[in-house]
Amino acid sequence: MTNSNKIKVGIFGGSGYGGSELLRILLFHPAFEVAFVSAGEHAGKPVASVHKNLNKLTDLAFISSEKALELTNQVNAIFLALPHGQAIEIVPQLSENIVVIDLSGDFRLDDESIFLRYYKREHPGNIQKKFVYGITELNREEISNARLISNPGCFATATLLALGPLYKEGLVVGSAIIDAKTGSSGSGAKAAQNTHHPQRSNSFYAYKPFEHQHLPEIKQTLDKLGAKPADLIFTTHSMPVSRGIFASCYVELSDKLSQKDLQNVFQSFYEDSFFVRLVETSPDINWVKNTNFCDIAVNTDGKFAAVFSAIDNLVKGAAGQAVQNLNLIMGRPETEGLIFTGSNP
């Protein structure tokens, strides 16, 4: 049964992990209602037959992308949870009255040559210029007044929330070293050699050194925050867990700061950001799994700072942040529909 008072939303690409999390959140959101969800290979199937965790919680069935395009004039907002390269094809077909939040990398990068290098396809050009980068806590005002949002990557979210305050306050000299680890769900729902359980369950390894596609969006954002271009060394690692990102960020400070001074920088910066929690010594991915929180810890010897951040890659790193951004655009409380805890243990 539909509720005429609710804000109608549609989802393109609902069969993957990002789409699954969007459904898990939106089905219980007090102000939003899912009008349709597409999934090409599963069109016609009940959503709960693909996402077993939603059994008895929804009567929705997947439809084709073609059918979804026909229904877009009936919704207020669209989430695109599609593989890289597909949103570029869909966005030009959407009405200019619809809010669009894209969870892929299609509209994150300004520079055409950098986009080609990291995504191996042509840049979306003038369309990209209309998109606002949706790192919520760092870009809240611009997001609130936008219609088109490019949701950040999961590694980018964890890293930017860790380093944003330091670059904004001009406290970094030299290179930032970012050592980031992720769970297997970050590679998507379809099995691949590097995400196959026997390969990953008792293993740990680095991948894409200097070449990960989230590196340029991190640099692009820090460049805009800081007074001078950011110099980054960024390496990603595979963890033998399903969910979670843990980022360890190391910088040299421009001023000598005590531990208390550094904590005050972050407390002041995030005092109005409910989903950023400052913790002692180190975060733990278990504390943030299945939540929209980012836990951050800061440590310093006076000259160098180590900033640790932990997020759930599928929630704060994808679907949760997307809903947080739509809350802002629609004038809803930023936290609405997103207050859920992790588990202990």
Side-chain angles (χ1 to χ4, degrees):
M1 181 178 296
T2 61
N3 185 331
S4 59
N5 295 321
K6 287 196 171 186
I7 297 167
K8 304 296 190 298
V9 303
I11 301 171
F12 283 78
S15 62
Y17 290 145
S20 175
E21 288 298 284
L22 280 170
L23 284 162
R24 182 173 73 90
I25 295 168
L26 291 169
L27 287 174
F28 300 96
H29 195 289
F32 303 151
E33 180 179 318
V34 180
F36 65 80
V37 53
S38 78
E41 64 182 306
H42 297 293
K45 295 180 183 178
V47 164
S49 71
V50 176
H51 301 308
K52 309 292 187 181
N53 59 314
L54 300 179
N55 192 23
K56 286 193 174 183
L57 299 176
T58 179
D59 295 325
L60 283 168
F62 290 115
I63 61 175
S64 67
S65 293
E66 292 75 18
K67 180 62 176 177
L69 279 169
E70 294 175 7
L71 298 177
T72 55
N73 63 345
Q74 300 178 22
V75 299
N76 307 102
I78 294 291
F79 292 95
L80 300 174
L82 297 162
H84 301 312
Q86 294 187 21
I88 292 174
E89 304 298 324
I90 289 177
V91 169
Q93 301 180 64
L94 299 175
S95 165
E96 293 189 358
N97 296 319
I98 297 176
V99 173
V100 178
I101 299 182
D102 177 38
L103 279 71
S104 79
D106 286 8
F107 303 104
R108 292 175 186 161
L109 300 180
D110 298 337
D111 189 285
E112 295 183 13
S113 62
I114 293 176
F115 183 85
L116 180 62
R117 173 185 170 186
Y118 284 90
Y119 286 97
K120 309 297 188 267
R121 54 177 53 90
E122 292 300 317
H123 189 268
N126 289 331
I127 302 176
Q128 191 276 339
K129 295 176 183 178
K130 300 177 183 178
F131 274 78
V132 169
Y133 188 64
I135 181 78
T136 317
E137 284 76 10
L138 304 185
N139 205 19
R140 188 175 279 112
E141 184 175 350
E142 192 174 0
I143 293 166
S144 299
N145 296 303
R147 184 182 68 83
L148 303 176
I149 298 293
S150 178
N151 223 53
C154 49
F155 278 123
T157 296
T159 303
L160 289 169
L161 292 177
L163 291 179
L166 298 178
Y167 278 85
K168 183 67 173 177
E169 300 300 323
L171 292 172
V172 178
V173 295
S175 301
I177 298 173
I178 304 149
D179 178 355
K181 301 123 180 130
T182 186
S184 58
S185 59
S187 298
K190 291 191 175 181
Q193 183 177 357
N194 65 328
T195 59
H196 191 43
H197 184 73
Q199 169 71 23
R200 190 159 184 161
S201 63
N202 293 298
S203 185
F204 187 89
Y205 50 88
Y207 67 100
K208 291 187 177 180
F210 301 103
E211 290 297 325
H212 196 282
Q213 65 271 17
H214 293 177
L215 171 58
E217 67 179 276
I218 295 169
K219 177 171 170 49
Q220 176 178 279
T221 305
L222 292 177
D223 285 351
K224 292 176 181 178
L225 281 175
K228 55 185 179 181
D231 189 16
L232 308 176
I233 300 170
F234 180 69
T235 302
T236 52
H237 301 78
S238 165
M239 286 191 294
V241 299
S242 293
R243 302 174 78 114
I245 283 180
F246 192 100
S248 302
C249 306
Y250 306 100
V251 299
E252 182 177 356
L253 297 170
S254 59
D255 297 314
K256 186 175 179 62
L257 296 179
S258 67
Q259 178 70 18
K260 185 62 176 176
D261 291 336
L262 187 60
Q263 288 174 333
N264 286 341
V265 169
F266 278 76
Q267 286 170 352
S268 176
F269 193 89
Y270 287 123
E271 63 181 349
D272 296 322
S273 295
F274 179 82
F275 290 117
V276 175
R277 303 187 298 196
L278 301 181
V279 302
E280 297 293 328
T281 310
S282 173
D284 187 317
I285 58 172
N286 282 328
W287 303 341
V288 296
K289 280 194 297 189
N290 301 299
T291 82
N292 198 51
F293 286 108
C294 174
D295 284 1
I296 294 176
V298 297
N299 299 271
T300 184
D301 64 356
K303 181 179 181 182
F304 297 98
V307 185
F308 307 118
S309 68
I311 63 170
D312 185 306
N313 55 297
L314 297 176
V315 187
K316 185 58 175 169
Q321 184 158 226
V323 174
Q324 188 178 352
N325 286 330
L326 186 60
N327 281 340
L328 283 172
I329 293 169
M330 294 299 181
R332 308 301 304 176
E334 189 173 324
T335 59
E336 190 169 60
L338 293 167
I339 304 295
F340 29 80
T341 71
S343 57
N344 184 25

